[in-house]
Amino acid sequence: CIFYFFQHNVHTPTHEYIYISIHLHPSVAFSSGSAATSAVVHLLTPGERILSIDDVYGGTQRYFRKVVNPRMGIEIDFVDFSNNQAVLSKMLTGGDKTKLLWLETPTNPTLKVTDIEKVSTMTKRFNANALLCVDNTFCSPYFQNPLEHGADIVVHSVTKYINGHSDVVMGVVCTNDEEIYTQLRFIQNGVGAVPSPFDCYLAHRGLKTLHLRMEAAARNANAIALFLEDHQGVTKVLYPGLKSHPQHDIATRQQNGYGAMITFYCIGKREQSAILLQNLRVFALAESLGAVESLAECPSLMTHASVPDEQRALLGIDDTLIRLSVGIESCADLVADLDNALNAALKNKQEQDKQKQSSFLPKVESGSREGGGYWDWS
């Protein structure tokens, strides 16, 4: 009787707090974001199919390609969700086998933004039995609620913004469908991927300042994105809040804020990226994101190293791409830190260019002609 009571009637503090304070929909907490993703996949059976956005978190694509497909017998297909025709074609090709559409918006790491409502409408029209799941980690519930735009399931890595202090590993799945919720609760109990009570306490603590942290980090990110756009050491900036972003209008309409993740391309090649990262002092070199401290990383060598080379090339994830998770430190300090690191990379690139130019200059032999020498073109 005691086991039955705890199994069916006790919810974690995180579960209750997210239900009451954020989504107002049933939510199930897990021991990690990856465990939350796995629980959603457990809603499928062998022979069915997942249609995933192509630019997806490296850990998710690795899980799909190397675990879900070969070991669970579930087909995986990747597509650019910004191309409606390509999505529709993939959806129709899969037919009724397609049971789950997996979406990130903005994506990790190139920050592509997808119109959730448009994808939801397309799904319901052409494949009514498929579920639309959105990984909302980059925006957090504060800046975006996909359930309001037609998603069936929302996944968060609580490790990131919801907790916000780099001291918890946890995930959560939210849904507005009672049947899905019941299945997720059964999977949570059956698999046992539950968070610890202390992690729930810490996540509960983090939620209390989510609004303050998200606003502060987004203000910093907007200022930094504008700074990067004007820096000589940067060739391209991707941030949904910039008017230059391809899906800026969608982000403005769909989100309540532009978030605090920035991706940019450093001038030069891998050597210059390394110099940039080595010269950062306020930004920490780390793979995580969403905490009060600012982090920087090179996805091609870190978070997305497991993505096949050809796929990274198609997505534009090369060795000059830098991903920033902007924190809540002094904006002036963050800008100064980036400026110093970018200038170091730029100086190195300029020195290399000078060396290349000098190597192509003709040799000068002195004393052979009047005037102090002649050009030797040999």
Side-chain angles (χ1 to χ4, degrees), residues 10-316:
V10 177
H11 293 184
T12 67
T14 297
H15 168 276
E16 295 291 352
Y17 199 80
I18 290 175
Y19 173 77
I20 295 169
S21 303
I22 295 184
H23 283 293
L24 298 179
H25 292 288
S27 305
V28 185
F30 292 88
S31 56
S32 69
S34 294
T37 298
S38 177
V40 174
V41 173
H42 272 76
L43 296 172
L44 277 64
T45 57
E48 294 181 334
R49 179 172 177 258
I50 297 173
L51 187 58
S52 171
I53 193 165
D54 54 355
D55 181 28
V56 69
Y57 165 55
T60 300
Q61 65 81 29
R62 181 178 60 235
Y63 170 63
F64 284 169
R65 286 191 306 106
K66 296 191 174 182
V67 178
V68 176
N69 177 243
R71 302 191 181 194
M72 299 175 67
I74 295 172
E75 294 180 24
I76 308 292
D77 214 343
F78 296 94
V79 65
D80 180 1
F81 271 73
S82 65
N83 185 333
N84 293 329
Q85 199 59 43
V87 175
L88 180 58
S89 176
K90 291 279 188 181
M91 199 181 294
L92 295 176
T93 300
D96 292 337
K97 291 170 60 177
T98 303
K99 297 298 183 182
L100 178 65
L101 280 76
W102 188 273
L103 185 61
E104 283 183 14
T105 179
T107 60
N108 183 2
T110 63
L111 300 181
K112 287 192 290 189
V113 177
T114 301
D115 189 325
I116 299 170
E117 186 174 354
K118 186 173 288 186
V119 173
S120 173
T121 301
M122 190 185 305
T123 304
K124 289 176 172 59
R125 180 179 177 184
F126 294 102
N127 196 339
N129 294 321
L131 299 174
L132 174 58
C133 179
V134 178
D135 185 334
N136 197 37
T137 298
F138 268 27
C139 273
S140 86
Y142 185 72
F143 279 145
Q144 182 171 263
N145 189 339
L147 295 177
E148 294 179 353
H149 300 286
D152 301 295
I153 302 170
V154 177
V155 169
H156 291 278
S157 174
V158 177
T159 310
K160 312 305 192 299
Y161 285 110
I162 291 177
N163 175 61
H165 293 80
S166 300
D167 52 10
V168 163
V169 176
M170 190 188 295
V172 70
V173 183
C174 310
T175 182
N176 51 13
D177 186 293
E178 194 64 34
E179 183 180 347
I180 294 173
Y181 170 69
T182 300
Q183 292 183 61
L184 289 169
R185 286 284 292 163
F186 177 79
I187 292 166
Q188 179 205 44
N189 179 65
V191 174
V194 295
S196 73
F198 188 64
D199 281 351
C200 293
Y201 162 76
L202 290 175
H204 190 176
R205 167 216 58 184
L207 276 168
K208 294 176 181 178
T209 60
L210 178 65
H211 61 299
L212 299 173
R213 291 184 285 104
M214 294 305 297
E215 290 286 355
R219 280 196 303 271
N220 282 348
N222 185 69
I224 289 170
L226 291 170
F227 159 76
L228 291 171
E229 268 202 319
D230 290 334
H231 201 288
Q232 286 184 306
V234 175
T235 60
K236 185 178 181 180
V237 183
L238 296 170
Y239 177 65
L242 295 175
K243 291 183 178 180
S244 59
H245 189 283
Q247 295 91 37
H248 172 74
D249 291 343
I250 298 175
T252 301
R253 182 176 70 251
Q254 182 170 273
Q255 301 169 200
N256 300 314
Y258 299 113
M261 300 300 298
I262 301 174
T263 292
F264 69 93
Y265 290 84
C266 173
I267 195 169
K269 297 182 179 179
R270 180 189 291 195
E271 181 179 348
Q272 284 70 41
S273 295
I275 291 171
L276 186 157
L277 294 171
Q278 290 166 3
N279 278 274
L280 290 172
R281 295 294 178 266
V282 181
F283 281 84
L285 178 61
E287 290 193 356
S288 193
L289 62 100
V292 291
E293 60 270 358
S294 296
L295 307 176
E297 65 125 354
C298 181
S300 67
L301 304 175
M302 298 170 71
T303 53
H304 291 69
S306 63
V307 178
D309 293 346
E310 62 276 11
Q311 183 66 14
R312 282 206 308 269
L314 287 172
L315 295 172

